[in-house]
Amino acid sequence: MQKYLKSFIVVREGIEYLSVSSINFHLSTVVDTVSLELSDFVIECQISDAVTDIKFNDESDLAPVFLAQNGDYWFKCLNVNNDAFRLFRINFINKNSGNMPNNGVFNSGNYVGNLDLSFIGLYESVVEIESLKVDYLSEYRYMLADIDSVFSELVTRSSSFLRTRLIQSDVIAERFAYSKFAFIKNLLRPDRLPLWIEIIKNRPYSQLENRSEKRDIWEVDYLDSDDYLDGLLQSDVFRSQDGKYIPLEVKCKYHEDTVNTKENQFVKFFIVYLKDLVISIKDNISKEKIKLNYEVDNCSGLLVQLLNDSFFYDISDISVIPYNSQVLHKKYPYNLIFKSYNDFLLSTKYNIDIYNERFLAGQKDVAKLYEYWIFISIFKALNDKFENDFRANSWLTFSEETLNVNLSESNSKLIEYQVNDKITLRLYFNKSYKNNTSIYYGRSYSHELKPDVSLELFKADKFVACIHFDAKYKEPQNGSYVVDDLNKMHAYKDGIMGTVGAYALCLSSEEMHFFQEEKVDQMHKFKFPSIGSFPMNINKSESEDEIDKVVSIIDKFVNYIGEEREGIFERNRKTSYRALDRIVGDLNEGDQNEV
């Protein structure tokens, strides 16, 4: 049942570990209190008489406590005098010192997701930061799933205290990215791999092993005839009074219980495998990523600590992984370690699932995710209409300094759609238009401009024109657009040479178009607006209709501009170029202005 809180406290064994209070509703009245037991923690809640920005829901599959994106909250943490908490305090707006070093005002900014509270030993999902502009349980999750369905790992980001829930898919990793490291970090939680190793140490799987060694004859209780004969031939002998020859030493066979089994060898191998992977990324990541460096060092230290346990001293290195071992498949906790190893090999592509918390990984801010989603929506719509060669292009960029995967912003990274025999359409993400760029491929005549999505039209390999779309994660007050966003569209339309249209895509309820006055009759005739805004709401039923309206503008751009115009820039006999009419209209050689 959902309730609104003024504050809440997390308690373990009677000691207060975390206290969070609403700043905006600090004057509200407490009308009741409620407690929720979570593992070995207790959450004590103060219920408010007002609708606050702290929600409590003990039936939620995500977390019992929800805070609001961009909300200000007073955090008080005890017993956390360590480096992890020092890193968390970087996110505090107000960092108190002196008598209250563990207090501060926390604001998530544009980040949403599960709040990482491991710095105080809280590994459960206790606090969730939810988005306010879209429905967090349906629309926001739909956006994440839509991004994940096209490009893996774009939702994750290192050095983030807000995390998303991931489960694995069946695509084998090609690169070691952040989400793989996040998998290792989650695997090293106290209730997982360290606990499993402790259980194995106390109750290891062992086997009886056949052994033999030389012993003095009087120490042997039982001796078979073969060992007796070998002793006569291989050791000193003495003659008894009755004339029999007896060896002084004989080989003795016996059975010994040993933990040096192939299953325990595999456990040791897995720890070494993870340790080597974690250490290998240490030299590559940027020193500026303080939190990521701390996490890498912490994971490396935990793995070294596990490996240095005396239990592994007598366990030899593995030669072949025993995939057919029934112990690894069925016996607890060997089966969990073996499953983790196989999961890790498949841990580069994920599916978003709010009901399955296999592990948690740092997440990008919601405005960037909306920008990705806009691009992917256009990308998928164009794929349905035109032939493309996008598989030949690398759209993902991987940073070894941050372990992050992002959409490429390089001007050379594009998807080319073949409209017909003569016309091609090029799709860019965050293409940079500068004043030193070739005029034949669009450029800014002033400072650098970077629209989120750019579409460039070519006819017979000659640049014809371009249009741009910009993602605005905003709710317009007038229902259709924000004035500042339209000003940005003017900058793209008039500042990037060759542009015939620029449009904002936002969380609006209606579209708005504006036509350039000089060509008003012709533009109304072809219904091709110069600037405007389109609704792109994160909702499956609505977004499918809304992307169709965006595609209709692209269709007009491709069909009218592509068929009516031969090229926006042409060369004369002296190889100088002339800028032709830059807005929608018929070409008129007499109106050309030499540039």
Side-chain angles (χ1 to χ4, degrees):
M1 183 175 180
Q2 181 171 290
K3 302 178 185 298
Y4 292 94
L5 309 182
K6 178 180 179 179
S7 64
F8 68 91
I9 300 172
V10 180
V11 179
R12 175 198 278 167
E13 297 179 353
I15 301 175
E16 179 182 320
Y17 271 66
L18 173 68
S19 174
V20 179
S21 302
S22 171
I23 292 179
N24 293 330
F25 295 90
H26 71 282
L27 296 179
S28 63
T29 303
V30 176
V31 296
D32 196 4
T33 60
V34 63
S35 296
L36 173 68
E37 292 188 8
L38 183 67
S39 182
D40 57 341
F41 298 94
V42 177
I43 302 178
E44 298 179 353
C45 305
Q46 292 185 326
I47 300 174
S48 173
D49 62 345
V51 177
T52 69
D53 52 8
I54 303 179
K55 292 192 296 187
F56 175 79
N57 187 349
D58 57 357
E59 298 177 353
S60 171
D61 294 303
L62 297 179
V65 180
F66 287 78
L67 306 182
Q69 174 191 351
N70 276 315
D72 291 334
Y73 301 93
W74 180 256
F75 270 58
K76 178 183 178 183
C77 309
L78 299 178
N79 300 326
V80 289
N81 188 17
N82 55 45
D83 291 337
F85 179 70
R86 178 179 59 82
L87 294 174
F88 182 78
R89 289 185 73 247
I90 294 175
N91 294 269
F92 280 0
I93 299 173
N94 177 18
K95 305 178 182 69
N96 281 322
S97 57
N99 296 327
M100 295 188 296
N102 295 341
N103 292 15
V105 177
F106 175 80
N107 187 302
S108 69
N110 278 329
Y111 287 85
V112 300
N114 182 262
L115 182 61
D116 184 359
L117 295 173
S118 58
F119 66 91
I120 58 172
L122 280 170
Y123 294 94
E124 297 91 341
S125 296
V126 177
V127 176
E128 194 85 9
I129 310 293
E130 64 175 340
S131 55
L132 298 179
K133 298 177 182 178
V134 296
D135 182 86
Y136 187 63
L137 292 180
S138 60
E139 296 174 346
Y140 177 73
R141 288 290 157 181
Y142 164 70
M143 178 177 69
L144 291 186
D146 218 20
I147 295 172
D148 179 77
S149 68
V150 179
F151 294 118
S152 304
E153 297 217 6
L154 285 179
V155 297
T156 61
R157 172 185 178 271
S158 66
S159 300
S160 172
F161 278 94
L162 276 298
R163 310 171 297 180
T164 188
R165 293 164 174 79
L166 302 172
I167 61 173
Q168 270 131 304
S169 182
D170 55 357
V171 177
I172 295 178
E174 295 181 358
R175 278 179 164 167
F176 190 96
Y178 172 70
S179 53
K180 294 193 72 173
F181 173 70
F183 181 85
I184 297 176
K185 188 177 70 169
N186 279 266
L187 187 62
L188 290 174
R189 285 172 42 170
D191 59 340
R192 297 188 181 180
L193 186 60
L195 175 63
W196 303 338
I197 299 299
E198 191 66 28
I199 294 173
I200 288 176
K201 284 166 47 184
N202 294 330
R203 299 192 300 274
Y205 174 71
S206 60
Q207 289 179 329
L208 288 176
E209 188 175 71
N210 295 325
R211 294 182 181 271
S212 66
E213 64 179 13
K214 283 188 177 181
R215 291 184 181 180
D216 295 331
I217 188 68
W218 56 83
E219 293 180 341
V220 179
D221 295 327
Y222 171 80
L223 187 67
D224 63 29
S225 58
D226 290 337
D227 291 336
Y228 182 82
L229 292 175
D230 289 341
L232 290 174
L233 297 174
Q234 298 176 8
S235 71
D236 296 333
V237 298
F238 73 93
R239 186 176 181 180
S240 65
Q241 293 180 353
D242 58 0
K244 295 180 179 180
Y245 289 93
I246 300 174
L248 295 178
E249 288 183 335
V250 292
K251 271 190 176 181
C252 179
K253 297 184 179 68
Y254 65 96
H255 300 287
E256 184 177 73
D257 196 26
T258 177
V259 295
N260 189 26
T261 64
K262 57 187 178 181
E263 288 78 13
N264 290 325
Q265 291 171 3
F266 171 79
V267 172
K268 180 180 179 180
F269 155 77
F270 185 45
I271 298 174
V272 174
Y273 175 70
L274 295 179
K275 176 181 70 70
D276 290 344
L277 282 174
V278 172
I279 292 176
S280 69
I281 68 173
K282 175 63 178 176
D283 295 334
N284 294 322
I285 60 176
S286 171
K287 294 181 180 179
E288 297 176 354
K289 296 296 178 181
I290 301 175
K291 181 177 183 295
L292 181 58
N293 273 278
Y294 172 81
E295 291 175 336
V296 171
D297 290 339
N298 188 53
C299 288
S300 176
L302 288 172
L303 290 165
V304 170
Q305 182 179 342
L306 290 175
L307 198 59
N308 287 341
D309 192 280
S310 58
F311 173 75
F312 293 107
Y313 289 175
D314 298 327
I315 295 177
S316 58
D317 295 334
I318 197 170
S319 56
V320 178
I321 296 178
Y323 287 103
N324 294 326
S325 168
Q326 293 302 301
V327 174
L328 293 183
H329 282 283
K330 297 180 180 180
K331 183 177 177 60
Y332 172 84
Y334 289 92
N335 57 344
L336 298 179
I337 296 176
F338 187 60
K339 184 177 186 303
S340 297
Y341 170 72
N342 288 288
D343 284 348
F344 184 77
L345 297 181
L346 308 174
S347 60
T348 194
K349 180 175 173 59
Y350 307 97
N351 293 322
I352 306 298
D353 188 340
I354 64 175
Y355 301 111
N356 189 325
E357 187 180 329
R358 177 71 58 81
F359 67 96
L360 294 164
Q363 183 170 284
K364 291 184 172 71
D365 69 272
V366 66
K368 173 59 70 175
L369 292 174
Y370 182 71
E371 184 179 318
Y372 283 168
W373 180 70
I374 290 294
F375 172 81
I376 287 171
S377 297
I378 295 175
F379 166 80
K380 291 165 68 174
L382 292 178
N383 285 348
D384 292 338
K385 292 182 65 68
F386 306 117
E387 294 183 2
N388 62 70
D389 62 349
F390 70 91
R391 291 179 180 84
N393 297 277
S394 175
W395 274 92
L396 294 180
T397 59
F398 171 76
S399 171
E400 292 186 347
E401 292 186 345
T402 64
L403 304 187
N404 287 337
V405 175
N406 297 293
L407 282 182
S408 173
E409 297 182 359
S410 171
N411 290 2
S412 62
K413 304 295 185 181
L414 58 93
I415 295 175
E416 188 168 281
Y417 296 93
Q418 195 68 39
V419 178
N420 55 44
D421 293 340
K422 293 183 178 180
I423 298 175
T424 57
L425 186 66
R426 294 181 180 178
L427 173 65
Y428 292 89
F429 176 76
N430 276 177
K431 178 175 179 178
S432 175
Y433 293 88
K434 304 178 181 179
N435 59 9
N436 60 353
T437 306
S438 169
I439 197 169
Y440 298 104
Y441 297 97
R443 77 176 188 189
S444 166
Y445 60 80
S446 57
H447 59 80
E448 179 184 22
L449 294 171
K450 291 179 65 174
D452 292 337
V453 182
S454 295
L455 287 164
E456 295 180 352
L457 197 63
F458 285 78
K459 189 171 185 179
D461 295 328
K462 290 173 62 177
F463 176 48
V464 176
C466 56
I467 58 174
H468 312 285
F469 297 95
D470 232 30
K472 303 296 183 183
Y473 187 69
K474 299 177 181 178
E475 294 177 306
Q477 295 179 347
N478 62 0
S480 58
Y481 66 91
V482 176
V483 173
D484 288 343
D485 294 343
L486 286 189
N487 290 340
K488 190 68 174 181
M489 298 309 104
H490 275 293
Y492 294 152
K493 168 65 177 64
D494 302 321
I496 300 176
M497 302 181 71
T499 299
V500 295
Y503 317 97
L505 304 181
C506 53
L507 305 173
S508 59
S509 57
E510 55 189 72
E511 60 186 279
M512 180 65 70
H513 300 156
F514 297 91
F515 301 90
Q516 196 162 325
E517 290 182 355
E518 295 120 286
K519 299 288 182 178
V520 63
D521 293 336
Q522 193 165 25
M523 281 187 293
H524 276 291
K525 175 183 176 183
F526 293 103
K527 299 187 182 303
F528 196 86
S530 295
I531 66 166
S533 67
F534 288 89
M536 273 298 290
N537 293 287
I538 308 169
N539 182 292
K540 182 174 178 60
S541 59
E542 293 181 16
S543 61
E544 290 179 353
D545 294 333
E546 291 168 348
I547 191 62
D548 289 341
K549 296 180 180 180
V550 174
V551 172
S552 69
I553 287 291
I554 298 175
D555 286 339
K556 292 183 176 70
F557 174 64
V558 170
N559 296 329
Y560 169 61
I561 304 295
E563 292 182 11
E564 295 293 323
R565 311 184 72 165
E566 294 299 325
I568 202 162
F569 299 112
E570 292 184 349
R571 298 175 182 271
N572 61 20
R573 295 178 182 177
K574 297 180 180 179
T575 69
S576 64
Y577 55 80
R578 297 174 176 271
L580 302 184
D581 191 355
R582 288 174 45 218
I583 61 174
V584 179
D586 295 330
L587 299 179
N588 186 336
E589 191 66 20
D591 291 337
Q592 294 179 16
N593 297 314
E594 187 168 344
V595 177

